[in-house]
Amino acid sequence: MGSGTSTQHHFAFQNAENAFRAAALIQRWYRRYMARLEMRRHCTWRIFQSIEYAGQQDQVKLHDFFSYLVDHFTPSSNHERDFLNRMFTEERFPQDAEMEKPSDYESIEVPDNYTGPHLSFPLLPDHATALVEAFRLKQQLHARYVLNLLHETRKHLVQLPNINRVSTRYSEEVTVCGDLHGQLDDLIFIFYKNGLPSPERAYVFNGDFVDRGKDSVEILMVLFAFMLVYPKEFHLNRGNHEDYMVNLRYGFTKEVMHKYKTHGKKILKILQDVFCWLPLATLVDEKVLILHGGVSDMTDLELLAKLDRHKIVSTLRRKTRKEKGKPAPKKAGAARPTPWFLPLRAGSGGAPRAGRSSSLPCGGPAAPDPARRARRSVDLALPGCPQQGGSAPSGAQGEPERAAPEADPEAREPPEPTREEWKQVVDILWSDPMAQDGCKANTVRGGGCYFGPNVTEQLLQKYNLQFLIRSHECKPEGYEFCHSRKVLTIFSASNYYEVGSNRGAYVKLGPALSPHIVQYQANKATHMLTMRQRISRVEESALRSLREKLFAHSSDLLGEFKKHDTDKTGFISLSDWAEAVESVLRLGLPWRMLRPQLVSSSTDSMLEYKSWLKDLAKEQRSRENIQSSLLETLYRNRSNLETIFRIIDSDHSGFISLDEFRQTWKLFSSHMNIDITDDCICDLARSIDFNKDGHIDINEFLEAFRLVEQSCPEGDASDCPQTTDPEDGDGSKPSTQ
Amino acid sequence: MADDKEREGTELVVAEYHRKIKEAFEVFDHEANNTVDVREIGTIIRSLGCCPSEGELHDLIAEVEEEEPTGYIRYEKFLPVMTEVLLERRYRPIPEDTLLRAFEVLDPSKRGFLTREELIKYMTEEGEPFSQEEMEEMLSAAVDPESNSIHYKDYIAMMVVDES
């Protein structure tokens, strides 16, 4: 071989080697990039989840607070007493079926210029289909038809057992769907892709139809319509959001009042009852149990089948009315148990991560740990939990195990559920599976349990079942198996946290009941985005929420930072920052990973914390004449505030009087140990009353402080402030796939 | 004296590394039992600032795996190994200009771009080949739909901005 050829070969070899190395380098770099993206995705998910669950805990705490007030607060004046009375006696009680008044809707005229769908009863399949189509075209169903439909729905539900039974002998396929949360696009997509309900196509919808999304009303209308049309094949289970108390906080109440300004209150009233009548579970071929949350080691299907489900008005509060008789005598002394919100000891917040809290088993005896005590799921609604040793039973605490209906002068009202009954229902509506064996209180949610594989196995064996289908938890892929595939979580609200955050899914039960999962994501826009863009979007949304939460705790954070700044330099290390933030917020988030996105000014490893906090505050729009500390407090209690407003605004007018506002805020802040002077409150109230007529428009107030969540339930999606991403398309409504 | 200070300094650094590693690990510790699926180890290591090749990753996994691989990696084994990696500053990330030169090697005629087919060929046949999924994902972000080619200088610039 001549030297020329070998040189050629040499160069060729060299080039090939170079190309190989170059490719390897690019791949190496790219894989690292993707890994970091993956990590960001996981962190983002964690942010959303921890904020969501912290919010749910809040909700429970809020109602604990009200329960406590009801039973222990001694009003210092007639004025206060009246105020409280009004707040609580407005809680409506479920009415007997005979008390329904068709005149509720018969008198409502449908105007000639109404262009929406018309319904006539008894409903036919065509009506239901037409309803879906009408809603797809963004029409709204007239209040008269809504009420009529709800009345018919209630009549039907009352006849149903607590546990529906479906047989695949009659319908060839059974499709199970999970949480929809007001996302009509997902429901329409499911019907489009899987087919409309029919005698051959059975459906089970596993709760949480409402709240958060903007079309909860329409979803209910569709689901109820199909249930009336195909009563044997179309089944609904109650979820923890089918609950008027939860609705006050999570948007459904707001949506109804916004869409139905005249008749909304009536609609809400009957809905409250309809929700109580929803069945608790569905059994397919006696083999597959479908329920919303999960089970506990005490779950008793026989008891669940027998109890009067209608008595469970809300899973947040066992008692539906004020305690009879005098409030608990005020005892000066240690014997009196202290509820969670009175100043206890530091560190009474717990890590929200499942499996990391060392709480007690559900059925176990009272715990010695005082901080944990108040959050046990069983005793949510019991004020003055008598677990602390030595507490004397008082009029309020000595509750009868069973309310005696005969002796009860208000015999019209259904007696309250027993503790056992209530707990059984709470467990199946609120519990989550966990990886470890055992069963312990679900402190993250504030209700129900965490149940392990052994609990599942025990239940399946006891009742001769094959597996469990549940929902209640959002999953990135829309579904997730656990407990050796004995538990399937199915979640049907895609893009739940944010556009692009997760897929939705439904499951079809085939022959021998083998599950077949179908996934989707009801938003065309996301398909065109790269993974990088999808993650960025969702991440930005999560970070926004997180920054807001940080702002809401500014004072506490400052205090923590100062503790780390022993030399008073005004600087702390980034490591200290992470520790401080976690000790205040207690969200269990990977702060060191998130730091680059939260602390933009880190040129070296020290942070000037005061200016960081200032930057946080600047981001939140605020009214100049409100003290920043007050604003911070408002932010921190924003969801509670909104809920409180809605409770005060018992006639759902959208207005509360200045006085009501002041009273409530005063009560709330004193029991939450918030330091606000009376003057401050008055100033705040007056400044909110924009037109000085002595009334506060709730929505204006909340909007003004940006206390309303970003996903506005009213109006078009395009109205909502979104990131101005050129890839966003024309901002038109998301369409189905 | 100086030795003590140095040791203290190292201790602080190690302590901080430990916290970082723990955080990253916990993100994937779905069962809260101090284990992660071995398939997630690559993500964890890379998100801690390292940029190993697939081969280097496999070696690292072999170090932290159980003697009889279970498919899970325990934190107790992972922590010391990962700490060493960080202390030794192993698997440093690739600087931007090195990356650019790598692309230029694949583009010898210096056009400033690679065609879609060329990128696919290199990425799936050379080096440590991409899976189909990886290839598709890269193409979706990198390819300019009008010219059907990858203008690598712009691409790198875009990706780097994203990182920070």
Side-chain angles (χ1 to χ4, degrees), chain A residues 171-190:
Chain A
S171 344
E172 286 140 26
E173 47 175 81
V174 180
T175 304
V176 183
C177 303
D179 295 26
L180 284 170
H181 282 300
Q183 298 188 186
L184 184 64
D185 287 342
D186 286 307
L187 180 60
I188 291 180
F189 178 79
I190 293 172

PDB file of all heavy atoms in Angstrom, chain A residues 171-190:
ATOM      1  N   SER A 171     -74.288  -4.813  30.391  1.00  0.00           N
ATOM      2  CA  SER A 171     -73.526  -3.887  29.542  1.00  0.00           C
ATOM      3  C   SER A 171     -72.219  -4.565  29.225  1.00  0.00           C
ATOM      4  O   SER A 171     -71.534  -5.055  30.107  1.00  0.00           O
ATOM      5  CB  SER A 171     -73.238  -2.591  30.279  1.00  0.00           C
ATOM      6  OG  SER A 171     -74.050  -2.468  31.390  1.00  0.00           O
ATOM      7  N   GLU A 172     -71.878  -4.566  27.979  1.00  0.00           N
ATOM      8  CA  GLU A 172     -70.659  -5.289  27.603  1.00  0.00           C
ATOM      9  C   GLU A 172     -69.408  -4.617  28.103  1.00  0.00           C
ATOM     10  O   GLU A 172     -68.412  -5.273  28.357  1.00  0.00           O
ATOM     11  CB  GLU A 172     -70.608  -5.429  26.084  1.00  0.00           C
ATOM     12  CG  GLU A 172     -71.583  -6.465  25.574  1.00  0.00           C
ATOM     13  CD  GLU A 172     -72.257  -6.012  24.305  1.00  0.00           C
ATOM     14  OE1 GLU A 172     -71.645  -5.193  23.579  1.00  0.00           O
ATOM     15  OE2 GLU A 172     -73.374  -6.439  24.047  1.00  0.00           O
ATOM     16  N   GLU A 173     -69.444  -3.318  28.176  1.00  0.00           N
ATOM     17  CA  GLU A 173     -68.257  -2.668  28.691  1.00  0.00           C
ATOM     18  C   GLU A 173     -68.622  -1.685  29.783  1.00  0.00           C
ATOM     19  O   GLU A 173     -69.680  -1.068  29.770  1.00  0.00           O
ATOM     20  CB  GLU A 173     -67.487  -1.950  27.579  1.00  0.00           C
ATOM     21  CG  GLU A 173     -68.350  -1.094  26.678  1.00  0.00           C
ATOM     22  CD  GLU A 173     -67.532  -0.324  25.676  1.00  0.00           C
ATOM     23  OE1 GLU A 173     -67.162  -0.924  24.658  1.00  0.00           O
ATOM     24  OE2 GLU A 173     -67.270   0.861  25.916  1.00  0.00           O
ATOM     25  N   VAL A 174     -67.712  -1.574  30.726  1.00  0.00           N
ATOM     26  CA  VAL A 174     -67.883  -0.599  31.799  1.00  0.00           C
ATOM     27  C   VAL A 174     -66.691   0.342  31.765  1.00  0.00           C
ATOM     28  O   VAL A 174     -65.544  -0.116  31.802  1.00  0.00           O
ATOM     29  CB  VAL A 174     -67.933  -1.286  33.181  1.00  0.00           C
ATOM     30  CG1 VAL A 174     -68.108  -0.248  34.269  1.00  0.00           C
ATOM     31  CG2 VAL A 174     -69.050  -2.306  33.232  1.00  0.00           C
ATOM     32  N   THR A 175     -66.968   1.625  31.684  1.00  0.00           N
ATOM     33  CA  THR A 175     -65.895   2.617  31.693  1.00  0.00           C
ATOM     34  C   THR A 175     -65.959   3.400  32.986  1.00  0.00           C
ATOM     35  O   THR A 175     -67.027   3.877  33.374  1.00  0.00           O
ATOM     36  CB  THR A 175     -66.052   3.589  30.504  1.00  0.00           C
ATOM     37  OG1 THR A 175     -66.091   2.844  29.303  1.00  0.00           O
ATOM     38  CG2 THR A 175     -64.877   4.557  30.460  1.00  0.00           C
ATOM     39  N   VAL A 176     -64.805   3.496  33.640  1.00  0.00           N
ATOM     40  CA  VAL A 176     -64.751   4.223  34.908  1.00  0.00           C
ATOM     41  C   VAL A 176     -63.924   5.496  34.719  1.00  0.00           C
ATOM     42  O   VAL A 176     -62.802   5.439  34.216  1.00  0.00           O
ATOM     43  CB  VAL A 176     -64.118   3.362  36.020  1.00  0.00           C
ATOM     44  CG1 VAL A 176     -64.147   4.111  37.348  1.00  0.00           C
ATOM     45  CG2 VAL A 176     -64.845   2.032  36.137  1.00  0.00           C
ATOM     46  N   CYS A 177     -64.494   6.617  35.145  1.00  0.00           N
ATOM     47  CA  CYS A 177     -63.791   7.895  35.045  1.00  0.00           C
ATOM     48  C   CYS A 177     -63.566   8.473  36.436  1.00  0.00           C
ATOM     49  O   CYS A 177     -64.381   8.279  37.328  1.00  0.00           O
ATOM     50  CB  CYS A 177     -64.603   8.895  34.236  1.00  0.00           C
ATOM     51  SG  CYS A 177     -64.987   8.310  32.594  1.00  0.00           S
ATOM     52  N   GLY A 178     -62.477   9.201  36.571  1.00  0.00           N
ATOM     53  CA  GLY A 178     -62.146   9.784  37.871  1.00  0.00           C
ATOM     54  C   GLY A 178     -62.540  11.241  37.964  1.00  0.00           C
ATOM     55  O   GLY A 178     -63.445  11.707  37.277  1.00  0.00           O
ATOM     56  N   ASP A 179     -61.813  11.984  38.784  1.00  0.00           N
ATOM     57  CA  ASP A 179     -62.127  13.390  39.034  1.00  0.00           C
ATOM     58  C   ASP A 179     -62.228  14.195  37.738  1.00  0.00           C
ATOM     59  O   ASP A 179     -61.396  14.063  36.861  1.00  0.00           O
ATOM     60  CB  ASP A 179     -60.997  14.039  39.863  1.00  0.00           C
ATOM     61  CG  ASP A 179     -60.869  13.440  41.250  1.00  0.00           C
ATOM     62  OD1 ASP A 179     -61.257  12.265  41.440  1.00  0.00           O
ATOM     63  OD2 ASP A 179     -60.356  14.142  42.135  1.00  0.00           O
ATOM     64  N   LEU A 180     -63.238  15.027  37.652  1.00  0.00           N
ATOM     65  CA  LEU A 180     -63.352  15.915  36.500  1.00  0.00           C
ATOM     66  C   LEU A 180     -63.147  17.374  36.901  1.00  0.00           C
ATOM     67  O   LEU A 180     -62.669  18.183  36.122  1.00  0.00           O
ATOM     68  CB  LEU A 180     -64.728  15.766  35.842  1.00  0.00           C
ATOM     69  CG  LEU A 180     -64.903  14.505  35.013  1.00  0.00           C
ATOM     70  CD1 LEU A 180     -66.359  14.326  34.625  1.00  0.00           C
ATOM     71  CD2 LEU A 180     -64.042  14.576  33.753  1.00  0.00           C
ATOM     72  N   HIS A 181     -63.547  17.693  38.113  1.00  0.00           N
ATOM     73  CA  HIS A 181     -63.341  19.045  38.655  1.00  0.00           C
ATOM     74  C   HIS A 181     -63.714  20.143  37.685  1.00  0.00           C
ATOM     75  O   HIS A 181     -62.911  21.028  37.377  1.00  0.00           O
ATOM     76  CB  HIS A 181     -61.884  19.215  39.104  1.00  0.00           C
ATOM     77  CG  HIS A 181     -61.607  18.569  40.424  1.00  0.00           C
ATOM     78  ND1 HIS A 181     -62.269  18.929  41.571  1.00  0.00           N
ATOM     79  CD2 HIS A 181     -60.755  17.575  40.770  1.00  0.00           C
ATOM     80  CE1 HIS A 181     -61.845  18.176  42.575  1.00  0.00           C
ATOM     81  NE2 HIS A 181     -60.918  17.347  42.125  1.00  0.00           N
ATOM     82  N   GLY A 182     -64.919  20.090  37.207  1.00  0.00           N
ATOM     83  CA  GLY A 182     -65.420  21.196  36.409  1.00  0.00           C
ATOM     84  C   GLY A 182     -64.777  21.360  35.047  1.00  0.00           C
ATOM     85  O   GLY A 182     -64.976  22.389  34.402  1.00  0.00           O
ATOM     86  N   GLN A 183     -64.010  20.402  34.601  1.00  0.00           N
ATOM     87  CA  GLN A 183     -63.350  20.524  33.298  1.00  0.00           C
ATOM     88  C   GLN A 183     -64.187  19.834  32.231  1.00  0.00           C
ATOM     89  O   GLN A 183     -64.001  18.653  31.930  1.00  0.00           O
ATOM     90  CB  GLN A 183     -61.928  19.961  33.362  1.00  0.00           C
ATOM     91  CG  GLN A 183     -61.062  20.733  34.358  1.00  0.00           C
ATOM     92  CD  GLN A 183     -59.587  20.345  34.327  1.00  0.00           C
ATOM     93  OE1 GLN A 183     -58.813  20.803  35.147  1.00  0.00           O
ATOM     94  NE2 GLN A 183     -59.188  19.493  33.406  1.00  0.00           N
ATOM     95  N   LEU A 184     -65.081  20.619  31.662  1.00  0.00           N
ATOM     96  CA  LEU A 184     -66.026  20.065  30.701  1.00  0.00           C
ATOM     97  C   LEU A 184     -65.332  19.509  29.463  1.00  0.00           C
ATOM     98  O   LEU A 184     -65.755  18.502  28.899  1.00  0.00           O
ATOM     99  CB  LEU A 184     -67.030  21.158  30.296  1.00  0.00           C
ATOM    100  CG  LEU A 184     -68.163  20.717  29.368  1.00  0.00           C
ATOM    101  CD1 LEU A 184     -69.053  19.695  30.043  1.00  0.00           C
ATOM    102  CD2 LEU A 184     -68.979  21.923  28.927  1.00  0.00           C
ATOM    103  N   ASP A 185     -64.274  20.157  29.034  1.00  0.00           N
ATOM    104  CA  ASP A 185     -63.559  19.680  27.845  1.00  0.00           C
ATOM    105  C   ASP A 185     -63.154  18.222  27.984  1.00  0.00           C
ATOM    106  O   ASP A 185     -63.206  17.457  27.029  1.00  0.00           O
ATOM    107  CB  ASP A 185     -62.297  20.521  27.614  1.00  0.00           C
ATOM    108  CG  ASP A 185     -62.650  21.902  27.081  1.00  0.00           C
ATOM    109  OD1 ASP A 185     -63.784  22.077  26.583  1.00  0.00           O
ATOM    110  OD2 ASP A 185     -61.787  22.787  27.170  1.00  0.00           O
ATOM    111  N   ASP A 186     -62.740  17.856  29.187  1.00  0.00           N
ATOM    112  CA  ASP A 186     -62.325  16.467  29.382  1.00  0.00           C
ATOM    113  C   ASP A 186     -63.515  15.524  29.257  1.00  0.00           C
ATOM    114  O   ASP A 186     -63.417  14.461  28.659  1.00  0.00           O
ATOM    115  CB  ASP A 186     -61.664  16.303  30.765  1.00  0.00           C
ATOM    116  CG  ASP A 186     -60.268  16.898  30.807  1.00  0.00           C
ATOM    117  OD1 ASP A 186     -59.453  16.534  29.928  1.00  0.00           O
ATOM    118  OD2 ASP A 186     -59.994  17.724  31.696  1.00  0.00           O
ATOM    119  N   LEU A 187     -64.659  15.914  29.813  1.00  0.00           N
ATOM    120  CA  LEU A 187     -65.833  15.047  29.728  1.00  0.00           C
ATOM    121  C   LEU A 187     -66.268  14.885  28.270  1.00  0.00           C
ATOM    122  O   LEU A 187     -66.554  13.777  27.806  1.00  0.00           O
ATOM    123  CB  LEU A 187     -66.984  15.638  30.552  1.00  0.00           C
ATOM    124  CG  LEU A 187     -68.279  14.826  30.545  1.00  0.00           C
ATOM    125  CD1 LEU A 187     -68.058  13.432  31.092  1.00  0.00           C
ATOM    126  CD2 LEU A 187     -69.371  15.527  31.347  1.00  0.00           C
ATOM    127  N   ILE A 188     -66.292  15.999  27.563  1.00  0.00           N
ATOM    128  CA  ILE A 188     -66.689  15.939  26.157  1.00  0.00           C
ATOM    129  C   ILE A 188     -65.729  15.050  25.388  1.00  0.00           C
ATOM    130  O   ILE A 188     -66.125  14.255  24.548  1.00  0.00           O
ATOM    131  CB  ILE A 188     -66.717  17.354  25.546  1.00  0.00           C
ATOM    132  CG1 ILE A 188     -67.868  18.142  26.163  1.00  0.00           C
ATOM    133  CG2 ILE A 188     -66.845  17.291  24.045  1.00  0.00           C
ATOM    134  CD1 ILE A 188     -68.010  19.550  25.641  1.00  0.00           C
ATOM    135  N   PHE A 189     -64.453  15.179  25.707  1.00  0.00           N
ATOM    136  CA  PHE A 189     -63.475  14.349  25.029  1.00  0.00           C
ATOM    137  C   PHE A 189     -63.699  12.865  25.304  1.00  0.00           C
ATOM    138  O   PHE A 189     -63.621  12.037  24.398  1.00  0.00           O
ATOM    139  CB  PHE A 189     -62.058  14.741  25.426  1.00  0.00           C
ATOM    140  CG  PHE A 189     -61.041  13.876  24.794  1.00  0.00           C
ATOM    141  CD1 PHE A 189     -60.679  14.074  23.472  1.00  0.00           C
ATOM    142  CD2 PHE A 189     -60.468  12.819  25.480  1.00  0.00           C
ATOM    143  CE1 PHE A 189     -59.771  13.246  22.853  1.00  0.00           C
ATOM    144  CE2 PHE A 189     -59.553  11.989  24.867  1.00  0.00           C
ATOM    145  CZ  PHE A 189     -59.202  12.198  23.552  1.00  0.00           C
ATOM    146  N   ILE A 190     -63.975  12.540  26.556  1.00  0.00           N
ATOM    147  CA  ILE A 190     -64.201  11.136  26.908  1.00  0.00           C
ATOM    148  C   ILE A 190     -65.378  10.578  26.113  1.00  0.00           C
ATOM    149  O   ILE A 190     -65.297   9.486  25.551  1.00  0.00           O
ATOM    150  CB  ILE A 190     -64.470  10.980  28.423  1.00  0.00           C
ATOM    151  CG1 ILE A 190     -63.219  11.333  29.221  1.00  0.00           C
ATOM    152  CG2 ILE A 190     -64.902   9.558  28.761  1.00  0.00           C
ATOM    153  CD1 ILE A 190     -63.444  11.400  30.712  1.00  0.00           C
TER     154      ILE A 190
END
